[in-house]
Amino acid sequence: MSVIHPVLIVGAGPTGLTTAVELTRQGVPVRIIDMVPQRGRLEGRALGTFARTQEIFERIGLGEKMYDTSFPVEAVHYYYNGRKLGQLAMHGLESPYPFSMTNTQPENERILIELLADHGVKVERPVELKSFTAASDHVDCVLVHEDGRDETMTCSFLAACDGGRSTVRKQLGEDFSGVQLQGEYLLDFKAEWDTPPPPQGVTYFSYSDDTLLIMTLLRSGYWRMAISMDFDDPRVKPDLPPVEELQKLVDIHKRHFAFRIGEIAWSSAFWISNRMVPNFRHGRVILMGDAAHIHSPVGGQGQNNGIGDGYNLAWKLAHFLKGVGGEALLDSYEAERKPVIADVLKATEQADKMSRTRHWFWKRARNAFVKYGTRRPGVQKMFREMLAGYREYKNGPLNAEYDGYSGKAISYIGGFPDYAKSDKAPKPGLCATDAHGVGVGLSRKRSRLFEVLNRDGTKHVLLVFTGIQVTDERRDYIRNFVKSVNRNYNGWVRAYMVAIQYNMGEDEDTIIDYEAQAHIRYGAFSDCFFLIRPDLYVAMRCRPADEGRFDAYMDKHFPAIRTTPYIAALPGFAGALPGMLQAAE
C-alpha cells in the first residue's frame, strides 16, 4: 500500500470532532486543529441534539455520557401574547431516543474531545491553517502554531469544519451568498420569577406582534433564551444591549413569562442568514457543517446537521483510503447531503419568517395552524420526524431496491405488514429502524437491534429476514447466503439471518427475533434482506433474498471489496480502535 497521509480536520466543533472520532474508529490517521483555545463550558450558540444525533452518539461510544450534562426535552409549547396555542409532543418517535437533549455545544465538544482522546488523538490548539495547495491525490498545507512557527504538512484529505467564516471556503473562492433573516440576542441567565417557574423538559415558543422568544431550562440551572427580531429592526444592535433593554424585550411576553433577568453567564448578539455553497467537494478538499451551510436556528437543526455531515462522510473516506471505494463513493457525500440541507434551509427560512411576521393575515394563519395543527396526530408526526433529523437521501446514488413480489397478491397472517405498504419499514435512503427483543445465537439475553448492529459499527451489516413462514429450502438458502457473505467479503460486511423461531439458528450468524418486532418494523412478511451502511442508513433492500443481487450491488459500488483483505487500521494510525477500548474496559 502506498504512503497514507493523515486526514486534516480544520475546526474542532461538533462537526469536526464527530468526523475525527468516526475516522479514528475506522482506523484512519487524523490530525484535528483549531485556531482558538478550548471554548468555555458555558459559551456556545448551538443547543440540543435530536434523535438521529443521539443514535450516532450511542453508536460511536458516547452512550450514557449524553445524560451527564443535560436532560430530555419531551415537548414544545407555543404561545401568542400570553395565550397558549398548542404543544408538540416528542414521545411518539420510533426511536430509542424519542426526545431532544439540552446539551450545549461546549458540552458536546467536551465529551467528543474526551472520546477522541480515548482513541489516542488530541486536538491541536491554537493552530491555524494559513494556506493550502490541493493536488489530485493530496493537499499540502501550511499551519501556524501558537509560537508563530510555520509547519508544512501533507494530508490525504482536507476536511473544512471551520465554521461560517471558513478560511478554507474563502481560499477556495466558493460563493456563500444567501438571505439575511433576523437579528438575535442569545443568553444563558438565572431567572428571577414573579410566578412559579415553568417545569423543565419543555421548550417554550412565545410569539408577539414583532418578536419571538424561545426559552428552555438547562441542567446547569441557567435558562437559555433567544430573542429574535427582523434583521432591520432598530432594536437589534451588534453588541448585547444593557440588561434594562433586554428586560423590555422580555416584558413584551410577560403575560406568560413573568420574570426578571438575573445573573448572565454567557451572551451573544448576531444576525442570522440562510446560506449554502454550490459545491461541498473540491477534489481532496471537502466543506462540512457551517463552512458549507448556515441557517436560522429555528428548530435547532444546525449542530445536528453538521454532525450528520461528518458521520456521512467519515466512513466513505475510510473506504476510499482503504482501497474498497472509488471517486463515486466520495461524490455521494454531496449528492446525499446537499439536497437535505437545501430542504432544511427552505423549511427554516419559512418557519423563521412566519414566526416573526407582522402582517395580520399571516399572524392569524400561523396561530391557527399551530392551534389546530398540533391537535392532529398526522401533523404531530410530521414535525416530530422533521425535528428528529431523519433525513431521506431521495434518489441517492447508493440506494438500490428489488421487489420480486411487486404486483403479486400476498396473504397477510397475524397482522404482519408488507414492507412495500408499511409506513414503518425503512426504504433505501432512510435510517435503519431499531427493534426490541432480539438475541444473537444461543444467547437468551434480549437486547435492541441497534445494540447488535453497533457491535459491527464500522462495517456494512446485512440482515436477511426469514419472514414469518419459511420453507426448509428457503431457510437453507438464507443460511448459506449469510455464511457465504461472511466468508467471501473478508470482514467488510457482517451478515446475519434474522429468524422468528428460536430453533432456526444456534450460532453467531443468527439473530433470534423473539417478539417478532424486527420483522414487523421492517415489514418482513416474507424473506428479504436489508443492507445497512456504516452510518446506519439503508443502502439496499431486496425480496425475496437474492445473493446474486447483493453481489451485483457490492461489485458496482465497492468493486475491490471481495479481493481486498479487511483493513482495521491504515499505516500511520497510532490510535486505539473500538475493540481495543472494549478490551481495556
Side-chain angles (χ1 to χ4, degrees), residues 105-123:
Q105 180 176 339
E107 291 298 346
N108 280 340
E109 291 174 2
R110 181 183 63 79
I111 59 178
L112 284 165
I113 288 170
E114 290 174 357
L115 180 61
L116 193 57
D118 289 342
H119 287 287
V121 178
K122 182 180 179 181
V123 177

Side-chain angles (χ1 to χ4, degrees), residues 152-198:
T152 301
M153 62 92 64
T154 299
C155 60
S156 58
F157 285 90
L158 173 59
C161 308
D162 49 342
R165 296 183 176 88
S166 171
T167 298
V168 177
R169 186 189 66 241
K170 291 175 182 177
Q171 290 195 30
L172 287 171
E174 270 285 346
D175 178 55
F176 203 47
S177 57
V179 178
Q180 196 166 22
L181 294 176
Q182 68 185 43
E184 182 165 298
Y185 297 137
L186 192 66
L187 58 154
D188 293 349
F189 69 101
K190 292 284 188 178
E192 300 172 1
W193 292 92
D194 298 328
T195 58

